[in-house]
Amino acid sequence: MHVFYLHGFASSPRAGKALYLAERLAAAGLTLHAPDFNEPAFETLTATRMIGQVETAMAALPPGPVVLIGSSLGAFVAWHVAARAEERRGSVRAVDRMVLLAPALTFDDDSFSELGEGGLRRWRETNALQIFHFAYGEQRTVGYELYADARRYDSRTAAVTSPTLIFQGRHDELVDVRKVESFAEGRPNVTLRLFDDDHRLQASLGPIFRETAAFLGLSGLA
């Protein structure tokens, strides 16, 4: 089994959740693969680039089922990696199952609602949006193509049948829990678990990992 952790926006593969998962999966003899979406440059980040990074990393691995664990924007990437694999079945490596943490699955105007219409227009015109990057601990600039490119991907219509486990905080300040509930509803391959937690889900990592281990068949760790 090959397990990937796909980090969120303005984060990194060395974030707390990635280190937590890597340590616990190592007890089962599993290596956590964690692509760095900040490379080659955060300024040129796009959904298409992130999806391509994951597909390339998956293709380089020996045979075995692939599991994607995506956090926030990383969940968006995971969902579309799985969708592309199903669309091009046989020519692209399949995703066996997914675990999505506080998934930012709908990339629409609400995703940057704090900017307002004027802010989005300025971002488009200047091709520069200042973001506090948590991994670097400082302000970084990201180009407008991140927004424009991600709008080309519709998670709601993407065909995905991989078994998927979603963990979502009821008090998430970034991802609307109602949107996640609506997304999960009517998808028989998706199981949603809600926690009294915020976007980071730090207070719920213990139960999240135990249920994830059971979902992946790692009985000794559940």
Side-chain angles (χ1 to χ4, degrees):
M1 180 187 296
H2 304 295
V3 184
F4 282 79
Y5 177 76
L6 311 183
H7 67 78
F9 181 56
S11 184
S12 86
R14 294 167 294 282
K17 282 196 284 288
L19 298 177
Y20 179 92
L21 290 168
E23 180 181 344
R24 281 150 184 80
L25 289 172
L30 295 173
T31 297
L32 185 67
H33 305 278
D36 190 345
F37 295 137
N38 300 300
E39 300 296 337
F42 179 69
E43 291 78 4
T44 57
L45 182 70
T46 66
T48 297
R49 188 181 86 187
M50 290 185 281
I51 291 167
Q53 282 179 261
V54 178
E55 290 177 339
T56 298
M58 286 167 53
L61 293 171
V66 171
V67 175
L68 301 181
I69 302 176
S71 176
S72 195
L73 181 58
F76 177 95
V77 174
W79 190 259
H80 289 284
V81 168
R84 281 161 59 100
E86 295 199 21
E87 181 182 345
R88 299 181 289 172
R89 194 179 302 275
S91 60
V92 176
R93 191 162 186 168
V95 175
D96 185 71
R97 57 192 60 208
M98 289 183 287
V99 177
L100 309 181
L101 310 172
L105 289 166
T106 54
F107 215 100
D108 50 26
D109 289 346
D110 289 344
S111 305
F112 291 91
S113 59
E114 71 277 7
L115 296 179
E117 184 178 343
L120 281 173
R121 185 176 63 253
R122 284 191 296 275
W123 187 11
R124 182 178 65 250
E125 292 170 350
T126 64
N127 194 32
L129 177 67
Q130 290 291 317
I131 294 289
F132 182 80
H133 199 298
F134 294 96
Y136 299 138
E138 63 184 23
Q139 295 286 327
R140 290 291 178 102
T141 300
V142 67
Y144 184 77
E145 187 59 18
L146 169 67
Y147 180 79
D149 177 68
R151 291 290 297 265
R152 302 182 184 114
Y153 294 88
D154 189 343
S155 301
R156 289 161 291 204
T157 60
V160 175
T161 61
S162 304
T164 301
L165 182 57
I166 296 179
F167 297 106
Q168 173 63 38
R170 291 187 177 91
H171 312 296
D172 194 319
E173 67 282 11
L174 298 178
V175 173
D176 189 337
V177 62
R178 294 168 298 181
K179 287 189 175 183
V180 178
E181 290 176 314
S182 176
F183 184 87
E185 187 177 358
R187 286 183 166 86
N189 61 309
V190 174
T191 300
L192 173 62
R193 296 283 186 260
L194 297 176
F195 290 92
D196 288 321
D197 209 339
D198 59 19
H199 186 67
R200 297 174 67 232
L201 292 169
Q202 288 294 317
S204 309
L205 287 181
I208 284 174
F209 182 76
R210 287 191 293 273
E211 188 159 351
T212 296
F215 179 63
L216 301 184
L218 305 175
S219 56
L221 300 179

